[in-house]
């Protein structure tokens, strides 16, 4: 995505917020080998989205950067995990984007052309979760009008504090569905809650900031490194470059002009329970 953004226009600047500073620096090195002109257009900060302190320090680091990097046109919440403990998955995929948005919203340039944007990297797994949940849970996951952050956190806490449930146990005990396949139990739920948070944040921002979520599709990224089927999955999944269509549309194009929505990998808007 960073590469695609830099190629988009010569005036695009990118702040990379990476959990590992060394891996972030290595990524920039690869980019600069492709185009030396991209070096001055990138700035690296260290940011672990699972940690309140790390996100706050990242925002402080950005505040000390060259002024040209301090006025953001967009925030992209691209960090996510599909494997690990239920608590970790929900922390990174649900609480993490909220931490980042809270910390970096003050850097958004409200005079940015086409309005500043927030893009949440969601997944089709969110739709599968909603589709297979009980009627009451489905109604809750589709409530884009009255949902609150406290309501979202209550679901996170309820599931995170209930140990490592199987997908069948999650459905039986809490009425929460899950995507079939190799991802861990909480992954689909985490993305369903991320979509709901997107709608909530969009209502808070009103017409000042356009806030949307999108699915990149099934992409061969480090997200699946922990899977026993990682080798096979990487052979059948699309490349990261091919998964940027929806996110680039939300970042740079006018599109349908809506906010608080979820978009398919093709860039088409979808309901939270349809893919």
């Amino acid at each position: 995505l960073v590469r695609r953004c830099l190629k988009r226009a010569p005036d695009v600047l990118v702040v990379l917020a990476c959990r590992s500073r060394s891996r972030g620096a290595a990524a920039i090195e690869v980019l600069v080998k492709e185009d030396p002109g991209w070096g001055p257009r990138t700035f690296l900060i260290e940011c672990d989205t699972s940690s309140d302190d790390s996100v706050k320090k990242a925002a402080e680091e950005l505040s000390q950067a060259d002024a040209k990097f301090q006025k953001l046109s967009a925030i992209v919440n691209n960090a996510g995990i599909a494997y690990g403990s239920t608590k970790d998955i929900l922390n990174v995929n649900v609480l993490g984007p909220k931490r980042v948005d809270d910390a970096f919203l003050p850097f958004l340039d409200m005079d940015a052309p086409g309005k500043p944007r927030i893009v949440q990297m969601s997944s089709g797994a969110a739709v599968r979760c909603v589709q297979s949940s009980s009627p009451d849970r489905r109604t809750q996951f589709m409530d884009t009008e009255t949902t609150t952050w406290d309501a979202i956190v209550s679901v996170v806490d309820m599931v995170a504090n209930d140990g490592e449930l199987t997908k069948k146990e999650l459905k039986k005990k809490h009425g929460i569905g899950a995507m079939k396949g190799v991802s861990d139990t909480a992954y689909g739920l985490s993305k369903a809650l991320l979509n709901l948070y997107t709608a909530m944040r969009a209502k808070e921002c009103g017409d000042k900031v356009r806030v949307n979520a999108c699915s990149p599709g099934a992409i061969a990224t480090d997200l699946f490194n922990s899977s026993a089927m990682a080798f096979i999955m990487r052979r059948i999944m699309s490349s990261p470059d091919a998964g940027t269509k929806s996110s680039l549309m939300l970042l740079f194009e006018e599109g349908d002009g809506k906010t608080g929505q979820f978009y398919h990998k093709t860039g088409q808007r979808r309901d939270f329970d349809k893919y």
Side-chain angles (χ1 to χ4, degrees), residues 28-257:
I28 291 177
E29 185 177 345
V30 171
L31 291 168
V32 171
K33 285 182 179 179
E34 181 176 345
D35 187 334
W38 289 348
R41 294 168 55 195
T42 59
F43 182 74
L44 174 65
I45 58 177
E46 186 173 348
C47 182
D48 179 354
T49 64
S50 70
S51 164
D52 289 340
D53 288 342
S54 180
V55 173
K56 289 176 183 177
K57 288 179 181 177
E60 292 172 2
E61 187 176 357
L62 182 59
S63 71
Q64 303 301 315
D66 190 296
K68 67 181 182 181
F69 290 108
Q70 290 187 33
K71 297 189 79 173
L72 302 179
S73 297
I75 298 169
V76 181
N77 280 302
N78 196 38
I81 57 175
Y83 300 95
S85 71
T86 294
K87 187 174 183 178
D88 287 346
I89 291 173
L90 293 170
N91 183 24
V92 173
N93 295 358
V94 185
L95 307 185
K98 174 71 159 52
R99 287 188 188 97
V100 171
D101 292 345
D102 286 347
F104 289 91
L105 265 170
F107 293 96
L108 282 181
D109 180 6
M110 293 304 170
D111 296 320
K115 297 182 181 178
R117 318 282 176 98
I118 297 177
V119 177
Q120 320 284 14
M121 207 60 68
S122 187
S123 168
V127 175
R128 309 306 181 208
C129 170
V130 176
Q131 288 175 337
S132 57
S133 290
S134 69
D136 286 347
R137 286 295 180 197
R138 186 168 180 165
T139 297
Q140 180 182 20
F141 295 152
M142 297 286 290
D143 180 14
T144 60
E145 293 299 320
T146 65
T147 194
T148 63
W149 180 243
D150 285 345
I152 293 171
V153 171
S154 70
V155 177
V156 169
D157 289 343
M158 175 186 71
V159 177
N161 294 330
D162 210 12
E164 300 303 316
L165 301 177
T166 66
K167 294 178 182 181
K168 288 184 178 180
E169 289 170 339
L170 183 66
K171 177 66 177 293
K172 183 177 181 180
K173 189 168 185 178
H174 298 299
I176 297 172
M179 182 181 72
K180 295 180 180 179
V182 296
S183 63
D184 279 355
T185 300
Y187 180 67
L189 170 62
S190 73
K191 295 301 185 178
L193 293 176
L194 176 62
N195 286 353
L196 199 55
Y197 160 66
T198 299
M200 185 212 80
R201 178 65 85 173
K203 287 183 72 67
E204 287 183 352
C205 291
D207 61 359
K208 296 180 180 180
V209 182
R210 194 173 295 171
V211 187
N212 289 295
C214 64
S215 170
I219 304 301
T221 68
D222 290 347
L223 191 72
F224 296 100
N225 278 349
S226 299
S227 168
M229 297 179 65
F231 175 75
I232 296 175
M233 293 172 71
R234 285 182 175 276
R235 293 180 67 87
I236 63 176
M237 289 179 168
S238 301
S239 68
D241 191 60
T244 60
K245 183 172 183 176
S246 56
S247 53
L248 289 173
M249 182 274 292
L250 292 175
L251 284 171
F252 293 103
E253 299 174 18
E254 185 63 24
D256 59 16

